[in-house]
Amino acid sequence: MLRIESKQIESKQTESGQKVTAGASGQTGYYGMPVLKRPQWTVEVPLYFFVGGLSGAASLIAAVGRMSSADAQLIRHARWMAAIGGIISPALLIADLGVPSRFLNMLHVFKIQSPMSVGSWTLVAFSNSAAATAVLGEFEKRRPNSAVSVLTDASQIVSALTGLVLSTYTGVLIGATAIPARNEHVSTLPIHFAAALETAMGASIELKSSPGTKALRSSVSGWAMRAAGLLSGPLPLALRLLSLRKSNTRERGLRRAAAISSVAGSLLTRWAWVHAGKVSADDNSVPLRLRSSIE
Amino acid sequence: MSVTAFLTDSTLCIGCKACEVACKEWNQLPSDGFDWKGFSYDNTGQLGHSTWRHVKFVEGGVIPGQGGNSPENFSWGFSSDVCKHCENAGCLEACPTGAIVRTEFGGVYIQPDVCNGCAYCVVTCPFGVVERNRADGRAFKCTFCYDRQKEGLQPACATACPTESIKFGEIGELRQSANQRLAKLQDDGFTDVHLYDPQESSVGGIHAFFIVRGDPKTYNLPPQPEVPTTYLRKGWISAGIAAGLMLAGTLFAFGKGSLR
Ligand code: SF4
Ligand code: SF4
């Protein structure tokens, strides 16, 4: 067949900033237009991943602390962190939805195959049990009484278990999507999220450390912390290692900087994954298998 | 009620956009604005919350006999895109509110009064079809004219199409006529025709298939679409490991602390 053709492949930007290629073919796809849609979540969502994850972890600390009869002040701090996080988290999600009452639509059904549904129910169970634990804990402190203790422990266990799900399901939530950058990493995303969290949760406790939290400081910020710090980035690790050699006052400053760095690292991890989804959705070459197969 | 489907035969499409207009009128969809995309005659670009039928314009080279009467004219390929109404629909599986349902006609329908705008369907559709309307907050896509089908009518786009490029009917019969049409075109010398109907993928077949000339990728039709539920197993295993690690780490930290 006679084919007089000079189709040049150039790139242009459309008004919405998407890159399009001049030309449609089996090699370029349809003018380089994306096959997938960009994630439409606003900044509240990665922030929720972070706050939710952190409060889940705090609840775990409180539960394990209680089991190993750690310092009462530490347990109290961790419980309140969990409870407050359990209030902020749904607020962030609701802010993303726009119309607050629409959040209730999540609670009409439970769908095991939808990580979003599993997460919503987990969050509801967590928020309620974490708040109950914090309030009951205050009662218990004022009027020690065995009935209250049993109730506190029961809600503590519920909030720690749901907290564990809350801290890890977000990796599944963003991993099990059509976005290649995410589904290719679905088997490491939850671990990545949890590892970043492990440093952050220790770090947040460290930030508000009172003399009473010494047990945790010497342990969480010990080798476990340093190992997790490696996962969250070399900076907190370097600062922590430095702090080992410094005088007491310098040590506190460096530890504090390291703590802030790990919290920031954990938040950034989540934000980065959400952002990576946008870039990946714009790229038509993976869904169309343009790199691997040239027909 | 029988399961229905669309067959979009792009070899008959003349790019008139009657389907786009009929869809917008029937469903009272808002305007997409008036932007020039800067390529081809396509000013819409892709399906979205306000575009449920979208005609793709593929500008080809100068192929004598294909661009009309004058040999200098470009050849054109047109194809009207639509929600695929997947057999295993990523959007339907992922929707946490149960807003997305399978209708008695086999279509995938978003109930607007149940949708809460979480936008999870947006990232779980392997074809990039659903979109959240930022002003309204909720997600929208082709309804397969559920309201019209209930009244025994054809979808608005199929009714308006002047060349019968968009065919509508019972899915089995339509698949059969798609194959007949394919054979006929091949007999007539159009050896580059393809039927796009990925039944082998995890999507397990679609209720809107397409006949196109050339590589279907030219029209952004993915060769191997995957429904994201296939990633769930790996994801939850990883979450289990992550939870175990967190628990172990915390126990270890306190264990060490209480030894001191
Ligand atoms: S094409 Fe996308 S929006 Fe349509 S049914 Fe399939 S997954 Fe849902
Ligand atoms: S945006 Fe609406 S339709 Fe889409 S997943 Fe969320 S609730 Fe379901």
Side-chain angles (χ1 to χ4, degrees), chain B residues 47 82-93 100 102 107-110 121-122 124-131 140-142 203 205-206 227-228:
Chain B
L47 294 170
V82 69
C83 167
K84 315 298 176 291
H85 297 279
C86 310
E87 206 66 65
N88 298 315
C91 63
L92 189 155
E93 298 297 329
I100 309 189
R102 174 92 44 201
V108 175
Y109 175 65
I110 307 180
C121 50
V122 175
T124 48
C125 167
F127 297 98
V129 171
V130 210
E131 191 180 29
F140 295 93
K141 70 165 194 75
C142 163
V203 167
I206 49 185
V227 55

Side-chain angles (χ1 to χ4, degrees), chain A residues 40-41 97 102 105-106 111 114 116, chain B residues 90-101 109-112 114-124 130-132 137-140:
Chain A
Q40 289 182 295
W41 283 338
L97 295 182
R102 282 187 191 157
N105 293 11
M106 297 269 198
K111 284 173 76 176
S114 166
M116 180 77 86
Chain B
C91 63
L92 189 155
E93 298 297 329
C95 174
T97 62
I100 309 189
V101 294
Y109 175 65
I110 307 180
Q111 303 171 82
V114 185
C115 171
N116 75 352
C118 74
Y120 199 39
C121 50
V122 175
V123 287
T124 48
V130 210
E131 191 180 29
R132 176 157 78 170
R138 293 171 300 170
F140 295 93

Side-chain angles (χ1 to χ4, degrees), chain A residues 1-5 7 12-15 18 20-21 24-42 53 56-57 60-61 64-65 67-68 70 74 96-97 99 102-103 105-106 108-109 111-118 120 164-165 167-169 172-179 182-183 186-191 194 197-198 201 215-216 218-220 222-224 284 287-290 293 295, chain B residues 34-40 42 44-49 54-64 66 75-76 91-98 100 113-120 122-134 136-138 213 215-224 226 228-229 231-232 234-236 238-247 249-258 260:
Chain A
M1 195 183 337
L2 176 65
R3 213 180 166 111
I4 317 154
E5 183 183 352
K7 236 187 310 173
K12 282 186 206 166
Q13 302 265 132
T14 64
E15 281 152 62
Q18 289 156 333
V20 296
T21 311
S25 69
Q27 280 79 50
T28 58
Y30 183 68
Y31 297 93
M33 287 295 283
V35 171
L36 303 167
K37 284 273 177 292
R38 284 181 178 189
Q40 289 182 295
W41 283 338
T42 47
L60 184 65
I61 289 187
V64 175
M67 263 163 53
S68 54
L74 161 72
D96 178 63
L97 295 182
V99 180
R102 282 187 191 157
F103 183 74
N105 293 11
M106 297 269 198
H108 289 164
V109 285
K111 284 173 76 176
I112 191 79
Q113 76 272 38
S114 166
M116 180 77 86
S117 176
V118 173
S120 308
L164 267 178
V165 181
S167 307
T168 52
Y169 91 94
V172 187
L173 180 79
I174 74 160
T177 59
I179 315 278
R182 294 177 180 174
N183 63 41
V186 68
S187 42
T188 46
L189 261 171
I191 297 172
L197 203 65
E198 185 83 7
M201 78 172 171
L216 192 80
S218 61
S219 50
V220 171
W223 281 112
N284 71 352
L288 293 181
R289 319 238 152 154
L290 296 181
S293 65
E295 287 181 2
Chain B
F34 187 66
D35 318 325
W36 300 106
K37 282 277 173 284
F39 62 85
S40 189
D42 177 359
T44 318
Q46 53 198 320
L47 294 170
H49 65 84
H54 165 236
V55 184
K56 289 177 176 163
F57 281 61
V58 170
E59 195 170 333
V62 179
I63 306 169
Q66 270 196 35
S75 69
W76 285 97
C91 63
L92 189 155
E93 298 297 329
C95 174
T97 62
I100 309 189
D113 52 338
V114 185
C115 171
N116 75 352
C118 74
Y120 199 39
V122 175
V123 287
T124 48
C125 167
F127 297 98
V129 171
V130 210
E131 191 180 29
R132 176 157 78 170
N133 177 336
R134 290 197 191 271
D136 177 283
R138 293 171 300 170
R213 287 193 64 186
D215 191 335
K217 288 189 279 195
T218 312
Y219 295 93
N220 263 11
L221 294 169
Q224 192 66 35
E226 301 284 1
T229 44
Y231 310 118
L232 281 178
K234 276 191 190 167
W236 283 118
S238 168
I241 296 171
L245 286 176
M246 276 180 73
L247 187 60
T250 316
L251 284 172
F252 174 73
F254 276 93
K256 244 190 115 199
S258 53
R260 293 191 175 210

Side-chain angles (χ1 to χ4, degrees), chain A residues 12 48 72 74 101 128 164-165 174 187 192 207 226 254 268 283 294:
Chain A
K12 282 186 206 166
Y48 152 71
L74 161 72
S101 60
N128 285 304
L164 267 178
V165 181
I174 74 160
S187 42
H192 188 180
L207 273 180
R226 276 177 213 122
L254 286 168
L268 262 177
D283 179 5
I294 296 168

Side-chain angles (χ1 to χ4, degrees), chain B:
Chain B
M1 227 15 104
S2 64
V3 172
T4 53
F6 277 134
L7 165 61
T8 307
D9 182 348
S10 73
T11 63
L12 295 175
C13 182
I14 54 168
C16 70
K17 300 193 190 183
C19 50
E20 274 191 49
V21 175
C23 175
K24 274 201 189 274
E25 286 209 349
W26 179 262
N27 295 300
Q28 306 197 325
L29 300 180
S31 135
D32 299 312
F34 187 66
D35 318 325
W36 300 106
K37 282 277 173 284
F39 62 85
S40 189
Y41 279 126
D42 177 359
N43 299 321
T44 318
Q46 53 198 320
L47 294 170
H49 65 84
S50 58
T51 308
W52 300 351
R53 267 279 176 193
H54 165 236
V55 184
K56 289 177 176 163
F57 281 61
V58 170
E59 195 170 333
V62 179
I63 306 169
Q66 270 196 35
N69 294 330
S70 158
E72 290 97 59
N73 284 347
F74 290 146
S75 69
W76 285 97
F78 314 106
S79 181
S80 178
D81 199 7
V82 69
C83 167
K84 315 298 176 291
H85 297 279
C86 310
E87 206 66 65
N88 298 315
C91 63
L92 189 155
E93 298 297 329
C95 174
T97 62
I100 309 189
V101 294
R102 174 92 44 201
T103 70
E104 63 268 42
F105 308 104
V108 175
Y109 175 65
I110 307 180
Q111 303 171 82
D113 52 338
V114 185
C115 171
N116 75 352
C118 74
Y120 199 39
C121 50
V122 175
V123 287
T124 48
C125 167
F127 297 98
V129 171
V130 210
E131 191 180 29
R132 176 157 78 170
N133 177 336
R134 290 197 191 271
D136 177 283
R138 293 171 300 170
F140 295 93
K141 70 165 194 75
C142 163
T143 65
F144 216 156
C145 276
Y146 183 42
D147 49 350
R148 291 175 62 95
Q149 287 204 55
K150 266 178 113 63
E151 298 299 322
L153 295 169
Q154 294 204 351
C157 53
T159 310
C161 180
T163 63
E164 292 186 350
S165 165
I166 299 175
K167 292 187 181 66
F168 171 81
E170 197 275 318
I171 189 163
E173 287 167 20
L174 215 55
R175 270 214 173 96
Q176 217 177 341
S177 63
N179 284 312
Q180 282 164 3
R181 170 78 182 154
L182 205 68
K184 164 98 172 58
L185 284 165
Q186 269 157 353
D187 271 359
D188 290 352
F190 298 99
T191 47
D192 59 347
V193 285
H194 285 95
L195 173 61
Y196 182 79
D197 181 15
Q199 293 185 64
E200 307 298 297
S201 70
S202 59
V203 167
I206 49 185
H207 291 205
F209 19 92
F210 301 84
I211 291 176
V212 292
R213 287 193 64 186
D215 191 335
K217 288 189 279 195
T218 312
Y219 295 93
N220 263 11
L221 294 169
Q224 192 66 35
E226 301 284 1
V227 55
T229 44
T230 52
Y231 310 118
L232 281 178
R233 225 182 107 80
K234 276 191 190 167
W236 283 118
I237 289 173
S238 168
I241 296 171
L245 286 176
M246 276 180 73
L247 187 60
T250 316
L251 284 172
F252 174 73
F254 276 93
K256 244 190 115 199
S258 53
L259 281 183
R260 293 191 175 210

